[in-house]
């Protein structure tokens, strides 16, 4: 039951963060793209942190909770297929940019987060 509460609380905070980003970056899918890329970068950082430091207590809160609430594939899909929205190229940009951010975030996180000895 503890995991349910951690995922729920993280999801609420992640969703509110995504909403705040949409206010700061209100133009079409740019806010969604920013939220998704931020979620990818943070998820990678959190995974490396947990792997190297053995911190697993916050896993439910941080990964499926916060990062899951922050990212939004449903909005990306809508913006890719709905009339008068960004279209298929927007979906492609999201996927490619997410992969690039994941790759770069992994390299940076592995340099920044040192293993616990």
């Amino acid at each position: 039951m503890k995991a349910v509460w951690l995922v729920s609380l993280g999801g609420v905070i992640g969703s509110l963060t995504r909403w705040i980003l949409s206010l700061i970056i209100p133009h079409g899918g740019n806010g969604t793209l920013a939220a998704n890329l931020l979620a990818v970068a943070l998820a990678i950082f959190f995974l490396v942190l947990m792997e190297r430091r053995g911190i697993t207590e916050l896993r439910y809160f941080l990964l499926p909770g916060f990062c899951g609430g922050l990212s939004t594939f449903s909005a990306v899909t809508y913006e890719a297929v709905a009339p008068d929205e960004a279209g298929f190229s927007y979906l492609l940009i999201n996927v490619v940019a997410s992969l690039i951010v994941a790759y770069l975030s992994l390299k940076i996180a592995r340099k920044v987060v040192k293993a616990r000895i």
Side-chain angles (χ1 to χ4, degrees):
M1 195 63 176
K2 182 179 176 182
V4 171
W5 286 106
L6 289 171
V7 171
S8 299
L9 180 60
V12 167
I13 295 170
S15 295
L16 289 172
T17 303
R18 178 171 22 106
W19 175 69
I20 290 168
L21 274 173
S22 75
L23 298 176
I24 295 169
I25 309 170
H27 297 78
N30 293 334
T32 301
L33 178 61
N36 287 341
L37 296 180
L38 179 60
V40 167
L42 288 173
I44 294 291
F45 177 79
F46 294 147
L47 285 168
V48 170
L49 182 68
M50 288 179 227
E51 170 193 58
R52 298 224 167 149
R53 300 282 171 89
I55 301 169
T56 57
E57 300 86 32
L58 295 176
R59 180 172 61 102
Y60 293 115
F61 174 79
L62 294 173
L63 295 173
F66 181 77
C67 290
L70 178 59
S71 63
T72 171
F73 190 72
S74 58
V76 170
T77 304
Y78 169 77
E79 290 163 1
V81 299
D84 301 325
E85 291 295 332
F88 181 75
S89 62
Y90 178 75
L91 176 63
L92 185 63
I93 289 168
N94 261 274
V95 171
V96 171
S98 293
L99 291 171
I100 291 169
V101 167
Y103 173 78
L104 294 174
S105 297
L106 186 58
K107 290 184 84 57
I108 292 168
R110 285 184 171 162
K111 287 183 181 182
V112 172
V113 178
K114 302 298 178 195
R116 183 189 301 173
I117 297 175

